[in-house]
């Protein structure tokens, strides 16, 4: 089903558009391209409310809650304080997500922060205006998201191997490492293909995987409740004993808690593919984020019932130990759940970042061909392939977790900047109909949290490694100046675009035609 | 053309995908497997608890002052609660009790004083119902002189004539006194040879003269003993502790032994037992026994622990090797030996590290701190060190073996000459009996402050109950806020953790008097045991140990600590305070360089 383009949609779009040169490429309609399809050449709205909720849950619940939920516990020092921190982090994430819901209705385009930066700051200055949005997509598209996909799919490979642990554990460590990478590449190949071939297929796969993921969470929760009911409360009854009193530890506890919730803005990065976004985006957030908060909270209660604090902190994979302790022969559920969860998570992250890639390509911030979509499949095929390739490279390179650590605090800078954009647009775009509006204190609060989260790691652990983040930005600017600001286009670029077009059967999306 | 290229690319994509899949599968199948430790078994996980049946619990009607099998059964909940995984029963076989049951009259029957075969089956069922294993004492070296085999051997009946070691007299002295074939001595003193008037030959007894040595150079004897072993396996026992195995063989030519140390207090130690102790043939026979056990191990391993007192380097041969395993472990008496001299952090460190360094690859260690042949640990180490020694023994890699009563820190009792039952003591005479008698460590278990410490309602018990039973007993320790038994139970509980089961060992001496070791396995809470052997308070900094963070929590602590001290408390690792003779077990989250990302 093709949703109707909104009248005001195009206007806004055009206003913000950096005169793209897409039209200067004369594409000849492919040999077998019917004219009818040509007219509807845009990403279709395939995501209903259920799928949108699944997308949020899919990205938010990765492997963290199964593998390393204990850092908040380690910092907070007590069971009681830790649970409070989880609940508060969930609430903060909900507030942030609601603010994004408003942004999503004001700027009904895919790309999340990128689109909002473009809309809010783009017109302010010829050079500095578009820069934030460019840096945002640069960091996300080139480094952060493909690296995340690589790390998550490596986790997937580790857990999918568990049923064969008998064979694998007896292998020398180097072979295990190679095997892990091969399986990760297999997973990556599969998920890239899914995203390449069809949005509908993605939606189906995602719905199934998210259900499996929630089922695994449910198993943990029920297991914990059972233990509680039979009177295993000695770990929980310690309550607030041992709570930290140091502000630094408290800050770090919040820091790690909020990371576990990251991903709440995902649905706004695919706005253009959500059916009735003005209704479904706020709704999906209102359902998805509290759902994840509740799941995280209950899972923590379950873990803490069965495991002692030192056991949780020291465990390499908390849920697996939990499973071994109480699930008996059914303990394979947990590694399987983690494997499915991580695969779904990687699939969704790639899905959403290819949309950012696509929007950025359309705006001339990325290689233009990224904004082209497949004639029949209606997927942003070049963007998907490029993301697949980037993740492929990251898997091959190997140790990239530190890379993510260094760059990820930029995410909160982007969230903060998005809140500024929200307030700015309340002034500059007064007339836009806002079917959904958050009170002003919410964006202010999120800005405060954002500042807090970028400053905490720098203050508590000042180290030159944060310059790596600056280095990324520096390279971004070095790219921005000639290619985006001066619109320098190398000669071969047209040939390359043409080559990709005929190779992948892709055409510019409809909006780019006008 | 483009259609074809697309087609080809798609084919290439999926072909390489499938190739990688095939590659991954072949990699798994083809890669040579390197050995990873097998999952631990029952005999490795929990401590083995030695029950001395004569002194554990009397339940006969009317009470006879002697422990029995139904008595043990009545105390199983206590044993289960201690957290031990196996019970090893000292001999319960039919016996004239010249060597408290180690002189066996019928290898296949129960001594009436302990009960009947039905009582045994009932015990076995009750033990297994609680998930505990049952290990019996197996005495291969000798039988009682009342054993049917010996009786028939005396009469030279076929095939028993050569079941024992017979030798003609070297000659006859004045009044036709037969002269023993050589100078061999009994472990309990005196000649190892006893004249049998009926057969008119000497028979060999390395222990009491009521315990003639079986002749393992006769294949029929080995066959008989293997059948005895099989008999008990068929009754459902889970393994054996093999008694005095180093004595199984003697020199065929009966050569005299050299005098090693004329001044040794006991006659046995004066000779160098080159021809009667630890002969190479011993291991071959033990291997035969092991094969019997392995044949019966389809469902769960049947274990073999061997008893032999010898230097660690020689003892390691009793493990056998990977293709020809012998004992699951030879009992390790290094801590007992260390306690018989001046006890220091250094001596304990040496005892532990010597054993660990000599341990063959893949072999499983074990730690014995007391048994029915040695003074009570509380007496040897000193009552203050009881908890600390349990901490050391229970948390080291390997299986700890606990002699009943050590969990409450029972001490040697004062047994008068008139009350002495141990033949080793009696043989030494009223002047020297205290030096040799093993009765002090064999007195009845102290259950409560009631009559005979709750052991028996009889007017008199077979050995006197230690007079300290009013204050030192199970019941009072269970009621106290902190006690030896509570420490012991905490320690058996800690053994369920990965770090204790599979973690590495790192042992050091700090400040001359403090022994400290860590048990660490990546991904699990680590443990550190810190014991101060000095009589005064010492403060140590343990932050320099590998993987040690700045803080730990107190897991358990010895009763020498002040009453105000509590577990679960967080303490700084840079200043760990230990009272004199105090022990402390801390748990901590080991520092490993780790990559944490939460997505």
């Amino acid at each position: 089903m093709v949703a109707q383009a909104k009248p005001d949609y195009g206007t806004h779009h055009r206003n913000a558009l950096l005169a793209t040169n897409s039209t200067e490429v004369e594409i000849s309609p492919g040999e077998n391209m019917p004219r009818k399809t040509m007219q509807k050449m845009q990403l279709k709205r395939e995501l209903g409310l259920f799928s949108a909720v699944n997308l949020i849950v899919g990205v938010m619940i990765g492997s963290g809650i199964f593998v390393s939920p204990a850092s908040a516990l380690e910092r907070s020092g007590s069971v009681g304080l830790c649970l409070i921190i989880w609940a508060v982090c969930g609430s903060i994430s909900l507030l942030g997500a609601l603010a994004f819901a408003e942004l999503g209705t004001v700027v009904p385009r895919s790309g999340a922060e990128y689109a909002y930066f473009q809309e809010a700051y783009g017109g302010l200055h010829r050079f500095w205006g578009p820069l934030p949005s460019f840096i945002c997509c640069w960091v996300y598209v080139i480094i952060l998201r493909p690296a995340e996909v690589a790390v998550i799919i490596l986790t997937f490979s580790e857990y999918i191997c568990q049923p064969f642990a008998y064979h694998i554990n007896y292998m020398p460590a180097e072979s295990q490492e190679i095997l892990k990478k091969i399986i990760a590449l297999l997973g990556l190949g599969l998920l890239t293909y899914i995203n390449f071939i069809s949005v509908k297929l993605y939606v189906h796969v995602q719905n199934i995987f998210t259900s499996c993921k929630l089922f695994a969470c449910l198993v943990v929760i029920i297991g914990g409740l059972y233990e509680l009911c039979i009177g295993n409360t000695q770990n929980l009854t310690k309550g607030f004993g041992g709570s930290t009193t140091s502000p630094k530890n408290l800050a770090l506890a919040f820091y790690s808690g909020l990371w576990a919730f990251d991903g709440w803005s995902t649905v706004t990065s695919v706005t253009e593919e959500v059916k009735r976004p003005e209704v479904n985006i706020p709704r999906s957030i209102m359902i998805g984020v509290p759902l994840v908060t509740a799941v995280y909270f209950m899972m923590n209660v379950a873990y803490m019932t069965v495991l002692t604090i030192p056991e949780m902190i020291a465990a390499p994979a908390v849920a697996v130990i939990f499973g071994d302790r109480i699930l008996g022969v059914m303990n394979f559920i947990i590694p399987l759940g983690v494997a499915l969860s991580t695969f779904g998570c990687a699939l969704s992250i790639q899905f959403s970042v290819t949309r950012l890639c696509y929007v950025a390509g359309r705006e001339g911030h990325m290689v233009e061909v990224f904004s082209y979509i497949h004639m029949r499949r209606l997927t942003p095929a070049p963007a998907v392939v490029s993301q697949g390739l980037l993740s492929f490279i990251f898997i091959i390179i190997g140790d990239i977790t530190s890379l993510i650590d260094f760059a990820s605090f930029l995410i909160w800078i982007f969230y903060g900047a998005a809140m500024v954009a929200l307030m700015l647009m309340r002034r500059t775009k007064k007339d836009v109909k806002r079917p959904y509006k958050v009170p002003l204190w919410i964006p202010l609060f999120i800005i405060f949290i954002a500042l807090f989260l970028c400053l905490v790691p720098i203050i508590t652990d000042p180290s030159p490694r944060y310059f790596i983040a600056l280095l990324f930005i520096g390279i971004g600017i070095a790219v921005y100046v000639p290619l985006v600001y001066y619109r320098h286009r190398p000669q071969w670029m047209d040939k390359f675009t043409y080559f990709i077009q005929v190779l992948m059967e892709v055409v510019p999306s409809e909006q780019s035609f006008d | 053309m483009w259609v074809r290229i697309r087609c080809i690319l798609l084919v290439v994509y999926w072909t390489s995908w499938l190739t990688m899949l095939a590659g991954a599968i072949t990699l798994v199948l083809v890669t040579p497997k390197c050995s990873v430790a097998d999952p631990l078994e029952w005999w490795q996980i929990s401590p083995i608890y030695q029950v001395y049946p004569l002194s554990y619990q009397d339940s006969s009607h009317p009470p006879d002052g002697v422990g029995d099998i139904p008595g043990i059964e009545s105390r199983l909940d206590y044993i289960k609660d201690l957290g031990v995984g196996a019970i090893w029963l000292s001999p319960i076989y039919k016996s004239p009790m010249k060597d408290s049951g180690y002189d066996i009259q019928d290898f296949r029957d129960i001594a009436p004083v302990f009960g009947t075969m039905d009582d045994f089956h009932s015990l076995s069922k009750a033990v297994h119902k609680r998930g505990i294993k049952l290990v019996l004492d197996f005495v291969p070296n000798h039988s009682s002189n009342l054993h049917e085999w010996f009786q028939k051997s005396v009469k030279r009946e076929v095939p028993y004539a050569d079941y024992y070691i017979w030798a003609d007299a070297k000659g006859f002295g004045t009044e036709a006194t037969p002269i023993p074939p050589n100078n061999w001595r009994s472990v309990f003193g005196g000649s190892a040879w006893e004249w049998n008037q009926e057969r008119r030959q000497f028979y060999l007894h390395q222990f009491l003269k009521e315990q003639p040595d079986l002749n393992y150079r006769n294949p029929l004897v080995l066959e008989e003993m293997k059948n005895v072993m099989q008999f008990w396996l068929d009754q459902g026992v889970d393994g054996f502790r093999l008694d005095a195995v180093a004595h199984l063989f003697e020199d065929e030519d009966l050569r005299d032994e050299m005098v090693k140390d004329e001044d040794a207090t006991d006659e046995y130690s004066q000779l160098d037992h080159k021809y009667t102790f630890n002969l190479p043939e011993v291991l071959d026979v033990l291997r035969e026994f092991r094969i019997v056990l392995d044949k019966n191990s389809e469902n769960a391993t049947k274990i073999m622990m061997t008893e032999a007192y010898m230097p660690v380097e020689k003892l390691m041969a009793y493990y056998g090797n990977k293709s020809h395993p012998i004992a699951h472990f030879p009992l390790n008496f290094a801590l007992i030996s260390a306690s018989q001299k001046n006890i220091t952090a250094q001596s304990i460190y040496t005892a532990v590290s010597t054993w660990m360094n000599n341990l063959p690859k893949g072999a499983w260690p074990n730690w014995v701190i007391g048994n029915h042949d040695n003074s009570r640990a509380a007496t040897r180490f000193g009552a203050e060190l009881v908890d600390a020694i349990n901490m050391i023994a229970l948390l080291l890699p390997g299986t700890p073996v606990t002699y009943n009563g050590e969990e409450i820190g029972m001490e040697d009792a004062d047994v008068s000459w008139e009350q002495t039952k141990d033949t080793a003591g009696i043989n030494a005479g009223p002047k020297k009996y205290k030096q040799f008698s093993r009765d002090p460590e064999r007195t009845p278990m102290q259950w409560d402050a009631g009559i005979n410490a709750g052991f028996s309602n009889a007017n008199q018990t077979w050995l006197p109950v230690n007079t300290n039973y009013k204050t030192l007993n199970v019941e009072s320790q269970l009621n106290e806020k902190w006690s030896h038994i509570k420490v012991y139970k905490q320690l058996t509980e800690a053994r369920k953790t990965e770090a204790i089961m599979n973690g590495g060992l790192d042992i050091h001496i700090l400040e001359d008097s403090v022994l400290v070791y860590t048990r660490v396995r990546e991904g699990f809470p680590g443990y550190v045991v810190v014991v101060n052997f000095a009589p005064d308070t010492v403060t140590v900094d343990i932050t320099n140990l590998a993987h040690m963070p700045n803080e730990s929590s107190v897991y358990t602590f010895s009763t020498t600590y002040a009453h105000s001290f509590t577990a679960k408390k967080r303490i700084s690792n840079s200043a760990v305070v230990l009272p004199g003779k105090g022990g402390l077990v801390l748990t901590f989250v080991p520092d490993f360089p780790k990559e944490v990302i939460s997505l």
Side-chain angles (χ1 to χ4, degrees):
Chain A
M1 183 188 128
V2 182
Q4 321 78 338
K6 288 216 171 50
D8 62 333
Y9 177 98
T11 352
H12 274 219
H13 182 216
R14 238 178 270 122
N15 288 346
L17 204 65
L18 279 169
T20 53
N21 299 324
S22 55
T23 41
E24 69 184 44
V25 188
E26 281 300 321
I27 54 131
S28 50
E31 308 94 293
N32 49 6
M33 188 198 287
R35 185 141 182 84
K36 253 187 185 167
T37 332
M38 188 71 183
Q39 295 292 32
K40 303 173 184 171
M41 201 50 64
Q42 62 180 31
L43 296 179
K44 286 166 127 195
R45 295 190 181 270
E46 299 272 16
L47 301 168
L49 179 61
F50 181 65
S51 310
V53 171
N54 275 346
L55 177 67
I56 294 176
V57 174
V59 174
M60 282 179 79
I61 305 183
S63 57
I65 191 66
F66 298 107
V67 177
S68 55
S71 45
L73 180 62
E74 185 177 4
R75 301 295 183 186
S76 60
S78 78
V79 173
L81 188 60
C82 173
L83 288 177
I84 288 181
I85 284 171
W86 280 98
V88 172
C89 289
S91 314
I92 292 173
S93 304
L94 180 62
L95 294 180
L98 290 177
F100 265 68
E102 177 185 328
L103 283 165
T105 56
V106 179
V107 185
R109 283 160 47 207
S110 291
E113 298 98 310
Y114 171 79
Y116 313 143
F117 292 169
Q118 183 84 307
E119 198 79 9
Y121 310 129
L124 296 180
H125 186 274
R126 232 191 123 242
F127 179 80
W128 297 109
L131 191 58
S133 54
F134 175 77
I135 295 296
C136 170
C137 83
W138 172 258
V139 169
Y140 277 153
V141 169
I142 303 294
I143 295 151
L144 212 46
R145 297 302 186 210
E148 276 180 13
V149 169
V151 168
I152 294 171
I153 207 74
L154 279 168
T155 314
F156 157 81
S157 121
E158 194 172 329
Y159 283 87
I160 198 80
C161 292
Q162 292 255 339
F164 314 107
Y166 177 77
H167 293 284
I168 291 164
N169 284 346
Y170 285 84
M171 288 167 59
E174 314 86 72
S175 310
Q176 284 191 33
E177 210 50 41
I178 294 171
L179 183 71
K180 229 172 92 176
K181 285 202 172 177
I182 293 181
I183 293 174
L185 291 179
L186 290 173
L188 179 69
L190 209 57
L191 74 89
T192 307
Y193 190 74
I194 291 171
N195 276 331
F196 178 85
I197 205 85
S198 144
V199 178
K200 266 213 172 87
L201 179 61
Y202 158 78
V203 170
H204 286 315
V205 172
Q206 174 58 33
N207 288 351
I208 294 169
F209 276 56
T210 304
S211 311
C212 292
K213 172 185 311 196
L214 285 174
F215 176 73
C217 295
L218 212 61
V219 167
V220 171
I221 292 170
I222 292 174
L225 285 180
Y226 172 76
E227 288 289 314
L228 263 185
C229 291
I230 63 170
N232 248 330
T233 52
Q234 65 272 35
N235 290 338
L236 281 182
T237 45
K238 280 173 201 146
F240 289 87
S243 293
T244 181
T245 44
S246 110
K248 179 186 154 189
N249 275 340
L250 199 62
L252 287 173
F254 271 106
Y255 185 72
S256 44
L258 281 167
W259 276 121
F261 281 97
D262 194 43
W264 40 263
S265 69
T266 315
V267 72
T268 55
S269 60
V270 296
T271 309
E272 286 169 48
E273 283 161 89
V274 178
K275 297 169 187 167
R276 296 175 63 214
E278 68 288 349
V279 179
N280 281 336
I281 286 183
R283 269 189 200 166
S284 62
I285 285 172
M286 290 297 284
I287 297 171
V289 179
L291 177 69
V292 173
T293 309
V295 166
Y296 279 9
F297 187 86
M298 297 301 290
M299 283 179 83
N300 269 287
V301 172
Y303 289 146
M304 290 168 182
T305 307
V306 176
L307 305 171
T308 65
I309 294 181
E311 272 175 335
M312 273 185 77
I313 294 171
V318 172
V320 174
I321 292 197
F322 177 91
D324 290 345
R325 194 69 61 82
I326 69 161
L327 293 181
V329 288
M330 299 299 281
N331 65 0
F332 69 91
I333 289 180
I334 299 291
L336 192 68
V338 176
L340 294 178
S341 175
T342 44
F343 187 83
C345 183
L347 184 69
S348 291
I349 290 179
Q350 192 187 57
F351 177 80
S352 63
V353 74
T354 53
R355 272 48 186 182
L356 174 59
C357 203
Y358 156 83
V359 175
R362 207 164 61 187
E363 310 287 312
H365 283 179
M366 278 288 145
V367 183
E368 184 193 320
V369 77
F370 286 172
S371 70
Y372 289 11
I373 53 183
H374 195 278
M375 285 167 15
R376 280 165 291 121
R377 299 184 169 131
L378 300 180
T379 57
V384 173
V385 171
S386 67
Q387 280 299 313
L389 279 176
L390 282 171
S391 299
F392 177 84
I393 293 166
F394 282 123
I395 292 176
I396 299 290
I397 292 173
D399 188 31
I400 46 171
T401 51
S402 45
L403 187 79
I404 295 183
D405 278 350
F406 303 150
S408 57
F409 83 111
L410 288 175
I411 294 179
W412 274 93
I413 296 185
F414 295 146
Y415 288 155
M419 294 304 120
V420 175
L422 181 132
M423 292 191 292
L424 197 65
M425 280 191 285
R426 288 232 174 133
R427 295 174 63 102
T428 56
K429 298 186 197 306
K430 276 194 191 113
D431 45 336
V432 177
K433 186 169 159 264
R434 287 180 169 80
Y436 179 81
K437 225 175 147 178
V438 289
L440 188 64
W441 64 267
I442 290 185
L444 286 172
F445 179 65
I446 299 296
I447 290 171
F448 167 75
I449 295 287
L451 282 174
F452 169 79
L453 286 179
C454 337
L455 293 179
V456 162
I458 298 174
I459 292 170
T460 57
D461 183 19
S463 84
R465 60 189 197 177
Y466 295 105
F467 284 105
I468 293 181
L470 287 181
L471 191 71
F472 290 153
I473 295 175
I475 296 172
I477 294 173
V479 173
Y480 173 77
V481 174
L483 297 182
V484 179
Y485 184 66
Y486 289 111
R487 291 181 219 156
H488 174 74
R489 287 176 63 85
Q491 279 292 304
W492 51 268
M493 191 48 104
D494 290 346
K495 283 187 187 140
F496 176 72
T497 307
Y498 175 75
F499 172 75
I500 295 293
Q501 270 195 288
V502 287
L503 181 69
M504 295 195 187
E505 292 185 281
V506 289
V507 292
S509 63
E510 204 169 57
Q511 290 87 19
S512 316
F513 269 107
D514 51 7
Chain B
M1 181 190 79
W2 289 107
V3 178
R4 194 175 300 156
I5 290 176
R6 276 195 286 276
C7 250
I8 291 168
L9 279 179
L10 197 69
V11 169
V12 167
Y13 184 84
W14 284 111
T15 320
S16 47
W17 196 88
L18 287 172
T19 317
M20 278 183 359
L21 183 63
I25 293 169
T26 27
L27 189 66
V28 172
L29 296 180
V30 167
T31 323
K33 310 276 179 274
C34 57
S35 65
V36 168
D38 292 325
L40 297 185
E41 300 188 41
W42 65 266
W43 54 276
Q44 299 171 305
I45 294 168
S46 316
I48 293 176
Y49 185 67
Q50 180 189 0
V51 169
Y52 197 70
L54 282 172
S55 289
Y56 206 63
Q57 178 68 54
D58 175 15
S59 75
S60 39
H61 299 287
D64 55 4
V66 179
D68 46 41
I69 291 172
I72 297 168
E73 190 177 333
S74 70
R75 293 294 186 179
L76 285 181
D77 287 330
Y78 166 79
I79 295 174
K80 170 79 185 164
D81 192 43
L82 280 179
V84 300
I87 297 171
W88 148 33
L89 290 183
S90 287
I92 47 170
Y93 311 107
K94 192 174 177 196
S95 157
M97 296 285 168
K98 295 289 176 192
D99 185 17
S100 22
Y102 284 95
D103 48 330
I104 298 165
Q105 189 176 350
D106 184 347
F107 287 111
R108 290 185 170 83
D109 202 2
I110 305 288
V113 67
F114 292 133
T116 62
M117 203 58 170
D118 287 340
D119 290 336
F120 175 78
H121 286 141
S122 165
L123 173 73
S124 168
K125 212 173 131 193
V127 165
H128 289 117
K129 201 182 89 188
R130 286 168 177 78
I132 302 176
K133 302 284 181 175
L134 188 58
V135 174
L136 292 188
D137 225 310
F138 185 73
V139 188
N141 182 64
H142 46 258
S143 72
S144 163
N145 57 338
L146 302 182
H147 197 285
E148 190 190 355
W149 299 343
F150 187 74
Q151 299 298 320
K152 291 181 173 169
S153 194
V154 167
K155 298 189 173 71
R156 297 188 196 253
E157 271 183 40
V158 181
Y160 303 102
D162 291 330
Y163 267 38
Y164 295 83
I165 298 164
W166 294 98
D168 293 329
K170 211 180 193 178
F172 292 89
T174 48
E175 297 169 33
T177 330
I179 301 168
N182 60 25
N183 72 342
W184 294 351
R185 297 225 170 111
S186 154
V187 173
F188 294 128
S191 173
W193 296 99
E194 183 70 19
W195 179 253
N196 182 276
Q197 194 57 38
E198 188 177 348
R199 183 160 157 157
R200 295 201 57 80
Q201 265 190 316
F202 279 101
Y203 65 85
L204 180 81
H205 60 91
Q206 289 219 36
F207 294 89
L208 300 176
K209 66 178 194 306
E210 292 86 358
Q211 294 169 300
D213 271 40
L214 286 160
N215 176 16
Y216 278 88
R217 298 198 192 275
N218 179 351
L220 291 178
V221 170
L222 177 59
E223 211 47 48
E224 289 270 15
M225 292 309 282
K226 279 159 75 175
N227 290 341
V228 168
M229 192 172 248
Q230 186 62 51
F231 171 81
W232 288 105
L233 288 168
D234 294 340
Q235 311 304 313
V237 309
D238 302 290
F240 301 92
R241 174 263 194 190
L242 271 60
D243 179 69
V245 291
H247 300 273
L248 284 181
F249 279 89
E250 297 79 16
D251 182 37
E252 253 187 310
D253 304 331
L254 310 183
R255 280 172 282 189
D256 274 351
E257 285 181 333
M258 307 276 280
V259 175
K260 179 178 69 176
D261 177 10
E262 254 178 277
D263 307 325
T265 43
D266 65 303
E267 292 182 357
Y268 184 71
S269 305
Q270 289 166 1
L271 296 184
D272 175 16
H273 302 289
K274 193 179 165 189
Y275 297 125
T276 56
F277 188 80
N278 199 25
L279 269 63
E281 295 91 330
V282 167
L283 294 178
D284 302 331
V285 163
L286 292 181
R287 171 69 194 151
E288 292 288 319
F289 287 134
R290 172 64 184 259
I291 291 170
V292 174
L293 294 173
D294 284 352
K295 273 187 194 150
N296 287 274
S297 295
E298 304 92 31
N299 298 323
T301 303
K302 307 289 185 188
I303 63 153
M304 174 162 140
M305 316 183 270
T306 56
E307 182 216 31
Y309 290 81
M310 64 179 76
V312 170
E313 312 83 65
K314 289 185 180 170
L315 195 54
M316 293 302 169
Y318 283 74
Y319 275 113
N321 55 42
K322 214 179 157 82
S323 56
H324 288 79
I326 300 175
H328 287 86
F329 50 78
L331 290 166
N332 169 9
F333 304 113
L335 290 175
I336 291 183
S337 309
S339 67
Q340 283 156 344
K341 297 164 218 136
N342 184 26
I343 301 156
T344 60
Q346 181 63 52
S347 68
I348 302 297
Y349 172 87
T350 309
V352 172
S353 52
T354 308
W355 182 273
M356 294 307 288
N357 294 339
N358 280 290
L359 196 69
K361 196 169 177 286
W364 186 253
N366 72 96
W367 308 95
V368 183
I369 55 170
N371 59 24
H372 59 291
D373 286 335
N374 289 281
S375 272
R376 287 282 182 185
T379 304
R380 271 178 289 120
F381 288 97
E384 286 175 306
L385 270 176
V386 164
D387 298 315
I389 295 300
N390 274 334
M391 286 172 189
I392 292 173
L394 264 75
L395 301 185
L396 278 171
T399 304
V401 182
T402 301
Y403 177 48
N404 61 201
E406 307 284 44
E407 71 272 23
I408 55 169
M410 273 174 65
E411 294 166 12
D412 276 3
D414 192 18
V415 182
S416 68
W417 166 248
E418 290 72 31
Q419 293 164 321
T420 294
K421 295 285 183 306
D422 184 13
T423 315
I426 292 169
N427 286 353
K431 293 229 171 65
K432 289 206 297 183
Y433 81 96
K434 281 202 173 172
Q435 212 175 324
F436 297 98
S437 172
R438 293 163 296 174
D439 289 334
E441 64 263 25
R442 295 177 178 180
T443 56
M445 182 75 182
Q446 288 156 224
W447 295 105
D448 54 46
I451 301 168
N452 294 328
F455 161 69
S456 171
N457 289 326
N459 292 330
Q460 202 178 6
T461 55
W462 79 285
L463 277 178
V465 176
N466 192 324
T467 47
N468 65 9
Y469 77 95
K470 292 255 185 218
T471 48
L472 202 167
N473 61 61
V474 169
E475 194 181 64
S476 69
Q477 290 204 6
L478 285 174
N479 289 335
E480 270 167 47
K481 187 164 149 259
W482 203 234
S483 58
H484 298 317
I485 200 168
K486 291 201 167 168
V487 174
Y488 188 87
K489 282 160 78 169
Q490 285 247 294
L491 295 172
T492 58
E493 187 63 29
R495 288 188 58 84
K496 293 174 185 164
T497 63
E498 271 296 316
I500 303 298
M501 285 291 92
N502 294 311
L505 170 71
D506 186 21
I507 184 164
H508 298 278
I509 294 177
L510 299 174
E511 308 285 335
D512 295 336
S513 72
V514 175
L515 182 76
V516 52
Y517 72 79
T518 58
R519 301 299 314 279
V520 171
R521 182 165 164 83
E522 186 167 7
F524 299 92
Y527 287 84
V528 56
V529 175
V530 203
V531 172
N532 175 18
F533 286 89
D536 309 310
T537 301
V538 174
T539 303
V540 289
D541 177 356
I542 57 168
T543 48
N544 287 331
L545 300 176
H547 310 299
M548 188 61 66
N550 293 325
E551 277 193 336
S552 313
S553 328
V554 175
Y555 178 74
T556 193
F557 51 93
S558 61
T559 46
T560 44
Y561 273 86
H563 287 298
S564 55
F565 203 79
T566 54
K568 307 253 156 57
K569 203 166 83 169
R570 287 187 81 77
I571 61 165
S572 166
N573 288 339
S574 53
V576 178
V577 181
L578 296 148
K581 311 275 182 185
L584 193 59
V585 180
L586 305 172
T587 174
F588 59 94
V589 177
D591 273 342
F592 279 94
K594 58 178 175 182
E595 298 167 354
V596 174
I597 59 163
S598 17
L599 293 167

